[in-house]
Amino acid sequence: MNTKKLLGVCLLFLLAACRQPFVPSAVDAVNPLMGTASTFAFSHGNTYPAVAIPWGMNFWSPQTGENGSGWMYAYGDTLLRGFRQTHQPSPWINDYGTFSIMPLSGELKLDDKERGVRFSHVEEQAAPHVYQVRLEDGTVASLAATARGAVMEVAWPAEVKSPYIVVDAYGHGGSVKVERESGLIHGVSRYNNGGVPDNFGNYFLVKFDKPMVETGTDEEGRAYARFDLQPGEKLTVRMASSFISPEQARLNFDREVNDRTLAEVTESARQVWEEMLGRIRVEGGTEEQRRVFYSCLYRTLLFPRSLTEFGPVNEPKYYSPYDGQVHNGEMYTDNGFWDTFRAVHPLFTLLYPEVSEGVQQSLLHAYAESGFLPEWASPGHRGCMIGNNSLSIAADAWLKGICVVDSAQLLEAMLHQTRARHAEISSVGRDGHEWYDSLGYVPYPEVPEATAKTLEYAYADWCLARFAESLGRMDIAEEYYAKAQNYRNVFYPEQGFVWAKDAQGRWRKDFDATEWGGPFTEGSSWHWTWSVLHDPEGLARLMGGHDVMAARLDSMFAAPNTYDYGTYGFVIHEIAEMVALDMGQYAHGNQPVQHAIYLYDYVAQPWKAQQRVREVMDRLYQSGPEGYCGDEDNGQTSAWYVFSALGFYPVCPGTGEYVLGSPLFDKATLSLPGGRTFVIHAEGNSPSRPYIRRATLNGREFTRNYLTHDELLQGGELVLEMDSVPNTMRGTQAEDLPYSYSHGKP
């Protein structure tokens, strides 16, 4: 071959290579610091940089706040007080079973208020699988995690003569002991903020690879060790814990971290994250959009956490935070279903069904051990939020074929959840169920947050009816389908919004759609009016038809962002965040209204959903510390972005439908169970082209405003031709609209 031909062939190969899209690692796109610039008064996510594996029993995080602060890591802080084993799902719920470890140089300071060392974000590297920081005193600490353990390396400057490690069990009855000869510190953390039985404890052990030359403990559950290291010599610290027993902690240690190096644990964790994040591969878009997308997917895959441990012959078992006993099987916790039923758990049913299986089993374990299904567990029942959204999670998974539990027992548990209330925790079971069953709504002021509860219960009743119907129990199904229409009883026709009624059937006076609290939960009538997930058609008819409902949705974005803080008595952070968005009364930073944009698809104006969903993705998310426009909430605000960036969203779990929006990326590939793939192509996509002009599904014309779960699971290809102007003809026929109960039962 002559030189010219050789050059020509090389050039062809080079051009071909250039045309291949470069898709960097999903793990490398994640920024765990996204959302960490948060405070009590204003949330940009209320997150912390969790070093973990997906759904791990323990996470680890650098700690900048004092012990006991829900804001364990705030981006604006300048002192690092330790590396904390954490189980915290939310700063509002706080932590449990935690302990921390802190390297110190020179002067020994045990108290967390005194031992903080300055650090800079310039010297900080955060990833899902490893965290490293160089402190101002020159100490470098690196940490990687397994499901139940961690390995840490510490390197002190050569001139440091007295390097220390402090282990802090957080008081509250916790204790630590030092075994100097074996290089071991072990103890138990009993720190908690509720939701635990009396015998609760997190048993931990910390082992060093270098001799301890000086040790000590105090009465506050803290211990220290001093080491005699050569210049440049690193200290390796290996840690593990168990909620079952000290012996199980030792077993977890031996299995997960014993003799393993930081590099080995880091690489192992990275591989797990690559596999889980890699179930969605996106192409096109900007680097920032990729960073936001995979950072959001990372958040979505953290919770709920698995409390499952494995015995001597690898049998799964768990300490029950409901009855304080050890049981065989699986247990997941740390989840507020009020948040996560909306998008997190539907994402699991689609792409991570193995987690949904464990969650289904956990629901019945909690029922067997406490008499109720969980609604907000951390680790056991907590008094937080409203509704019976465990029914949504159970029904949605079951109807999608995740049938791994006894259906009769699950039906019993679901029915009980609607007919009783926990004696001490009003958010467990159904608060006001007697009123709801006799009046058809929950009255206010007799019951706090009554209108929001009525709407939540109506949707839960629909979920129960769907589940009962799938079992052939039409007697129960018909009863609960009828109760699912109770949302109508709190719709105020003269105002066109939902509102509050008292027990005598009188509407609350002085209607104000901007008033927060009172009959509502973390929102106003502007937000809760849309919470008829199972029957948007019925809501539209109450309002006066599709055009009227579409106009009301329009006005939500156009209205002044004014508010009355009502019974809250001050501007709660959710109000401040809505005002800061400057999107009228739309409050994306909180969950009740996050689905509302997609309701345009139900009233035959899907192009408005396409425009608004793209606007929210572009304006309200970024990959930095101010990444979110409100609480991230166990992955829900992240899962909204993940689904929306793919181009569809599960407005009503239990229908098996995903309502179309506007895909952010040119191409997205979903790796599904059974080795199938589903690909979404957005042809001609760009920031100025958010509208769907035409669509095909597996080569056939596609006009519907929704996809079904079965269509996705079968694999295939959805091609969307994007445009800069809306197509006001596509998706406007009755057969194009998503499910509503008022259209008739499927």
Side-chain angles (χ1 to χ4, degrees):
M1 183 180 292
N2 62 38
T3 304
K4 288 185 178 180
K5 282 188 175 181
L6 180 60
L7 289 173
V9 171
C10 291
L11 181 59
L12 287 174
F13 276 113
L14 181 61
L15 290 172
C18 290
R19 283 195 293 266
Q20 299 302 312
F22 173 67
V23 182
S25 162
V27 173
D28 292 338
V30 173
N31 180 17
L33 299 178
M34 179 176 172
T36 57
S38 301
T39 66
F40 173 89
F42 198 98
S43 174
H44 283 293
N46 272 332
T47 61
Y48 54 87
V51 184
I53 65 169
W55 309 289
M57 189 177 85
N58 304 322
F59 301 163
W60 287 84
S61 175
Q63 176 184 338
T64 65
E66 295 180 359
N67 288 4
S69 171
W71 285 264
M72 80 171 82
Y73 181 99
Y75 193 80
D77 289 348
T78 59
L79 297 179
L80 193 143
R81 304 174 191 274
F83 296 87
R84 177 163 147 185
Q85 186 201 79
T86 177
H87 310 96
Q88 179 170 296
S90 162
W92 311 108
I93 294 293
N94 214 298
D95 215 337
Y96 63 90
T98 188
F99 72 95
S100 68
I101 183 166
M102 180 64 184
L104 294 174
S105 302
E107 186 179 358
L108 175 64
K109 297 177 181 178
L110 295 180
D111 189 87
D112 62 288
K113 297 179 179 62
E114 300 174 356
R115 67 175 182 245
V117 180
R118 285 191 171 275
F119 79 108
S120 166
H121 297 298
V122 174
E123 300 287 351
E124 181 183 41
Q125 299 176 37
H129 57 296
V130 65
Y131 177 89
Q132 183 179 93
V133 65
R134 180 185 296 273
L135 303 177
E136 191 177 72
D137 64 11
T139 304
V140 177
S142 308
L143 184 145
T146 66
R148 301 162 196 86
V151 174
M152 183 179 187
E153 277 187 0
V154 184
W156 283 272
E159 64 272 16
V160 173
K161 303 303 182 186
S162 298
Y164 290 95
I165 290 287
V166 175
V167 177
D168 189 341
Y170 273 57
H172 290 257
S175 61
V176 289
K177 294 182 180 179
V178 179
E179 294 181 6
R180 194 159 165 179
E181 295 76 15
S182 60
L184 188 69
I185 294 178
H186 60 91
V188 59
S189 170
R190 300 197 183 278
Y191 178 84
N192 72 85
N193 285 275
V196 299
D198 291 340
N199 67 348
F200 166 80
N202 182 32
Y203 304 93
F204 64 87
L205 57 93
V206 180
K207 190 170 185 179
F208 308 102
D209 72 336
K210 301 291 188 297
M212 297 181 277
V213 298
E214 179 188 344
T215 61
T217 62
D218 70 6
E219 295 180 353
E220 298 299 320
R222 294 179 292 231
Y224 74 89
R226 185 172 65 82
F227 302 87
D228 186 7
L229 304 178
Q230 298 300 313
E233 191 175 16
K234 294 181 180 179
L235 177 71
T236 297
V237 188
R238 297 179 175 92
M239 301 162 278
S241 67
S242 169
F243 290 106
I244 293 175
S245 67
E247 294 76 20
Q248 183 66 42
R250 173 75 69 170
L251 186 57
N252 293 344
F253 182 94
D254 291 342
R255 281 185 175 148
E256 298 191 14
V257 298
N258 191 27
D259 296 328
R260 296 183 73 190
T261 66
L262 173 70
E264 289 170 342
V265 173
T266 298
E267 180 56 28
S268 177
R270 182 187 180 94
Q271 290 176 8
V272 174
W273 278 110
E274 285 285 9
E275 196 279 321
M276 294 302 173
L277 295 172
R279 294 193 188 181
I280 308 178
R281 175 176 169 173
V282 296
E283 301 174 46
T286 66
E287 181 181 352
E288 168 66 3
Q289 288 169 337
R290 279 181 47 80
R291 288 182 64 79
V292 173
F293 181 85
Y294 283 113
S295 297
C296 284
L297 186 54
Y298 150 78
R299 289 286 169 201
T300 306
L301 304 185
L302 288 173
F303 298 101
R305 84 172 63 256
S306 172
L307 286 185
T308 308
E309 304 180 52
F310 294 90
V313 292
N314 285 321
E315 71 277 18
K317 57 182 182 177
Y318 61 91
Y319 166 82
S320 171
Y322 300 101
D323 68 4
Q325 304 300 308
V326 177
H327 300 272
N328 294 326
E330 288 191 76
M331 176 58 70
Y332 282 83
T333 188
D334 288 332
N335 225 228
F337 291 162
W338 184 82
D339 303 298
T340 59
F341 86 88
R342 304 167 193 271
V344 173
H345 288 277
L347 187 69
F348 294 164
T349 62
L350 180 62
L351 293 172
Y352 309 92
E354 66 273 26
V355 175
S356 291
E357 290 181 1
V359 170
Q360 289 287 86
Q361 294 167 10
S362 296
L363 293 177
L364 281 188
H365 290 157
Y367 174 66
E369 293 151 22
S370 73
F372 286 93
L373 296 169
E375 298 295 349
W376 225 124
S378 182
H381 294 306
R382 299 291 292 274
C384 188
M385 308 315 295
I386 64 168
N388 300 139
N389 296 301
S390 56
L391 274 59
S392 170
I393 290 169
D396 187 53
W398 181 274
L399 294 167
K400 290 174 178 174
I402 301 174
C403 309
V404 295
V405 295
D406 182 278
S407 60
Q409 187 183 18
L410 183 56
L411 180 61
E412 173 193 307
M414 294 169 77
L415 287 168
H416 180 71
Q417 200 77 352
T418 71
R419 296 171 176 172
R421 200 206 84 168
H422 194 283
E424 300 173 356
I425 308 172
S426 64
S427 60
V428 177
R430 181 166 283 188
D431 188 31
H433 64 91
E434 304 94 340
W435 295 108
Y436 180 80
D437 289 339
S438 62
L439 299 175
Y441 61 94
V442 183
Y444 183 82
E446 290 85 351
V447 178
E449 305 172 294
T451 303
K453 288 174 180 175
T454 299
L455 297 167
E456 296 257 338
Y457 297 162
Y459 166 63
D461 288 342
W462 175 86
C463 292
L464 200 161
R466 289 272 285 157
F467 177 70
E469 184 176 17
S470 76
L471 303 181
R473 292 297 307 271
M474 292 309 300
D475 54 332
I476 296 173
E478 293 300 335
E479 175 190 353
Y480 278 85
Y481 276 130
K483 292 169 67 173
Q485 295 298 293
N486 283 344
Y487 73 88
R488 299 172 177 272
N489 297 328
V490 291
F491 184 82
Y492 196 173
E494 289 78 8
Q495 302 295 340
F497 286 86
V498 295
W499 194 234
K501 278 182 180 175
D502 65 17
Q504 285 69 47
R506 297 172 300 208
W507 290 109
R508 186 175 180 229
K509 296 179 180 179
D510 302 320
F511 173 82
D512 182 354
T514 72
E515 181 185 348
W516 287 58
F520 300 111
T521 302
E522 294 183 359
S524 69
S525 187
W526 267 114
H527 312 127
W528 280 96
T529 293
W530 312 113
S531 291
V532 187
L533 310 182
H534 58 294
D535 199 10
E537 176 65 25
L539 179 62
R541 293 176 187 176
L542 289 175
M543 287 185 170
H546 287 181
D547 290 343
V548 177
M549 180 162 159
R552 178 58 51 80
L553 285 166
D554 293 344
S555 65
M556 177 172 59
F557 296 98
N561 57 352
T562 55
Y563 61 88
D564 177 344
Y565 53 60
T567 55
Y568 287 114
F570 65 99
V571 177
I572 61 174
H573 74 93
E574 289 89 350
I575 295 175
E577 291 147 13
M578 183 199 77
V579 173
L581 295 187
D582 197 22
M583 293 183 70
Q585 289 292 323
Y586 183 68
H588 189 78
N590 209 21
Q591 279 62 50
V593 78
Q594 286 182 349
H595 70 287
I597 288 173
Y598 288 94
L599 295 183
Y600 282 115
D601 285 271
Y602 293 78
V603 293
Q605 295 188 21
W607 58 91
K608 292 182 178 178
Q610 294 156 23
Q611 185 271 321
R612 287 295 184 186
V613 74
R614 191 73 76 87
E615 179 185 8
V616 169
M617 285 191 285
D618 290 343
R619 283 186 53 189
L620 306 187
Y621 290 79
Q622 54 108 332
S623 66
E626 297 182 349
Y628 298 96
C629 60
D631 280 355
E632 198 283 322
D633 282 329
N634 296 172
Q636 168 54 30
T637 303
S638 290
W640 184 96
Y641 186 94
V642 170
F643 267 121
S644 296
L646 295 176
F648 48 83
Y649 185 79
V651 169
C652 182
T655 61
E657 292 181 356
Y658 303 87
V659 180
L660 291 190
S662 178
L664 191 62
F665 297 97
D666 299 345
K667 181 181 178 182
T669 303
L670 309 182
S671 296
L672 301 163
R676 297 185 177 92
T677 60
F678 190 89
V679 181
I680 304 103
H681 286 280
E683 296 182 348
N685 202 14
S686 76
S688 63
R689 297 170 67 89
Y691 300 106
I692 300 173
R693 181 175 70 243
R694 180 176 176 268
T696 60
L697 178 61
N698 299 326
R700 296 184 178 181
E701 193 77 15
F702 183 74
T703 62
R704 282 191 272 119
N705 294 335
Y706 65 94
L707 293 158
T708 69
H709 188 73
D710 288 342
E711 286 171 338
L712 292 176
L713 283 189
Q714 289 168 10
E717 182 180 54
L718 176 68
V719 178
L720 305 172
E721 298 177 10
M722 310 306 292
D723 206 339
S724 60
V725 294
N727 180 350
T728 59
M729 301 301 293
R730 187 193 171 280
T732 59
Q733 302 305 305
E735 59 269 22
D736 296 329
L737 308 185
Y739 169 87
S740 281
Y741 179 81
S742 290
H743 284 148
K745 291 177 289 185

